[in-house]
Amino acid sequence: GAPVEDPAVVGALPGDLESMRISLAGVTQAGSSGIVQALRERTMLKELRIDLIGCTCMHTEFPMNLCLAMASLRELETVCMAADWPLMPINIVEHLLFRVKSSEKLHTFRCRGGGSPDAPRAFMTDESFRALIEALEGKKLKELSLSLDHVGVQDYSIRGLADLLSGMEHLKSLYLSLTSSLLADGGMKCLGRAIAGLRSLEMLEVDVVDSVVSDGGARCFSEAV
């Protein structure tokens, strides 16, 4: 119940924390500075879950300060991020995802989009999705979860996702939620083939509710898997 910007609250957190979960909905600019300070001083973190949905400080210096704080987290193995991707400036998206890319010990990545069924459908921009793909290239991930519900991912981006997956030979768990997306036959076929090549995969879940998928595309995907 204490304000998060209170130095006593931030200072009370153990310095050797290995896991932090942060939700920034409604956090003020003063509060966000306390969060940045807390992150910067917890260099032993192995797991970071951060929810930026509803954050009102995305057009201040906070996002860049957050990225700088994440740069000191060299031990991260698990990163979970949620954000209103279509509403975020592309430079902030790129900086946040660059911190993911620079996490050398990363083996689990989960990403969730914002939006709701009642809101107008918004597409994750090509630039944002490309930044996401580039951040994960070359990672020896064991678990990948991309839940982009109501964001919408277009077919040309699905092909990029397929190319990314084709190189993830260590992946054991894959969850893809691509609701409200435009999935053409070619993209579904590429995605199916990429998943079929994941020889270490033990768990697979794909959700395409309310997406535009033809019978041909669904058949290509199913046959490949």
Side-chain angles (χ1 to χ4, degrees), residues 34-46:
I35 291 171
V36 168
Q37 178 190 340
L39 268 182
R40 188 178 289 122
E41 297 173 358
R42 269 78 194 170
T43 57
M44 300 305 293
L45 275 182
K46 292 184 178 180

Side-chain angles (χ1 to χ4, degrees), residues 209-222:
V209 173
D210 293 329
S211 291
V212 179
V213 186
S214 72
D215 289 343
R219 192 179 304 112
C220 286
F221 179 82
S222 299

